[in-house]
Amino acid sequence: MNQREKEEYLREYAVLKAQGKPFFPYIIVKDGVMMIIVVASIMALSIMLGGELTAKADATTTTYAPRPEWYYFWAFELLKIIKPPALVSLAAVGIPTIAMLLLFLLPFYDRNPERHPLRRPVATTAGIFVIFAMFMLSYLGAEAGAPSQVDMDPPPAVLAADEATQTKWDAGRRLVAQSGCGGCHKIGHNGNDGPGPRLTDIGDRLKEGALRETLINPTQPMPSFAGLGPDAIDKMAFFMSTLKSGDSHSGEGAVPEGGH
Ligand code: HEC
């Protein structure tokens, strides 16, 4: 800010100050009234509509997939993107803290007297970038399914098959979801993209027999799931054999041989 700008600013300030009203009591009263209206509206809504209560917390469950509230989806997604363990704490604590510090210190480092967004290219670009990044991260975080679940509908071929096939498909789906495969594999919207390959259309690449073999005798670092027993292996292999590209869910295609 140069001398001329400073004088101009001080002159404007003096004029505005002479026109304005004192903070106390005018602004305080205005804010107080608005706060009472907001609190009263929330109270009225909670009395009239009530709050949603979900099931009681169960400390013994292993299938519960914790999900953040929607306004934390961006942080949730950020944690998923940043993979190296050494950087995880930086992502969880560091980035939000740095952002908050930057905002807090804004009046000290941003001494630019310009107010029009077009005359402040750096600030405007940074602001648009942050808003865009948070929207994108929130969207991706909301889209991502929990790794302990596999949310998909049976492909048409399975839907058209008999009830035993459908039951087997669903049992396989649940076994895959609950066996921790999502920790290393992405399946549809669920799971992590790596270190294992995507299984969303694994049925295109491997036949049911090969899938069974992979579960029993996998390549490191994938652990063997032989301990789950032949019945579980069979159901999981059948489920995976139906995962084909072609539609966004799990694929079409015929029910593979030996599907019953
Ligand atoms: C610890 C991580 C990890 C877990 C848990 C895991 N996998 Fe894997 N999986 C891998 C890796 C890594 C590969 C690739 C191995 C290789 O190099 O061939 C793989 C390969 C596969 C393949 C072969 C993919 C292909 O394209 O050839 C299938 C099928 C598979 N996994 C299914 C499963 C299923 C089903 C589960 C759960 C029951 C599971 N995996 C659990 C890491 C894992």
Side-chain angles (χ1 to χ4, degrees):
M1 202 186 267
N2 58 33
Q3 196 55 34
R4 191 187 55 75
E5 283 168 341
K6 201 166 192 167
E7 275 162 18
E8 196 176 312
Y9 171 79
L10 287 175
R11 207 164 36 240
E12 251 180 65
Y13 181 72
V15 170
L16 287 175
K17 192 161 183 180
Q19 291 174 347
K21 292 187 170 142
F23 188 74
F24 182 84
Y26 294 97
I27 313 298
I28 295 279
V29 168
K30 225 171 156 183
D31 283 1
V33 169
M34 197 58 214
M35 276 192 294
I36 290 170
I37 292 176
V38 169
V39 172
S41 315
I42 293 173
M43 282 167 71
L45 280 175
S46 62
I47 290 168
M48 287 186 308
L49 303 178
E52 182 198 355
L53 278 184
T54 51
K56 256 190 175 170
D58 175 5
T60 60
T61 179
T62 55
T63 53
Y64 177 71
R67 302 269 296 164
E69 295 291 341
W70 65 268
Y71 42 84
Y72 275 127
F73 275 147
W74 62 272
F76 178 60
E77 185 63 22
L78 199 62
L79 273 182
K80 280 178 57 191
I81 290 175
I82 296 181
K83 288 262 159 72
L87 293 181
V88 165
S89 52
L90 178 73
V93 184
I95 293 178
T97 308
I98 290 170
M100 235 126 61
L101 267 180
L102 282 177
L103 267 185
F104 186 75
L105 296 175
L106 188 67
F108 298 99
Y109 63 82
D110 183 6
R111 315 285 292 184
N112 189 341
E114 294 293 352
R115 297 179 68 180
H116 195 281
L118 288 180
R119 298 237 186 92
R120 305 176 45 101
V122 176
T124 305
T125 313
I128 290 175
F129 172 77
V130 168
I131 293 171
F132 178 76
M134 288 187 69
F135 261 104
M136 261 329 269
L137 287 171
S138 297
Y139 172 75
L140 291 173
E143 273 285 285
S148 61
Q149 276 170 314
V150 176
D151 308 309
M152 50 171 64
D153 301 325
V158 171
L159 281 176
D162 59 21
E163 210 183 307
T165 307
Q166 294 186 22
T167 314
K168 183 175 181 179
W169 187 90
D170 207 53
R173 179 184 66 82
R174 251 175 296 133
L175 276 164
V176 166
Q178 290 164 11
S179 305
C181 317
C184 299
H185 292 284
K186 194 165 176 92
I187 309 171
H189 284 316
N190 299 91
N192 298 324
D193 212 354
R198 264 171 208 239
L199 298 182
T200 310
D201 49 8
I202 185 68
D204 288 342
R205 275 175 283 146
L206 295 178
K207 287 237 174 355
E208 205 177 332
L211 288 165
R212 221 178 284 130
E213 190 50 37
T214 305
L215 290 175
I216 297 168
N217 247 331
T219 319
Q220 289 283 347
M222 178 165 151
S224 169
F225 290 88
L228 295 178
D231 184 50
I233 298 280
D234 203 46
K235 286 172 175 154
M236 288 198 281
F238 168 63
F239 164 72
M240 284 192 287
S241 69
T242 68
L243 302 182
K244 302 198 170 173
S245 58
D247 71 28
S248 59
H249 288 289
S250 38
E252 51 222 22
V255 174
E257 336 79 82
H260 291 251

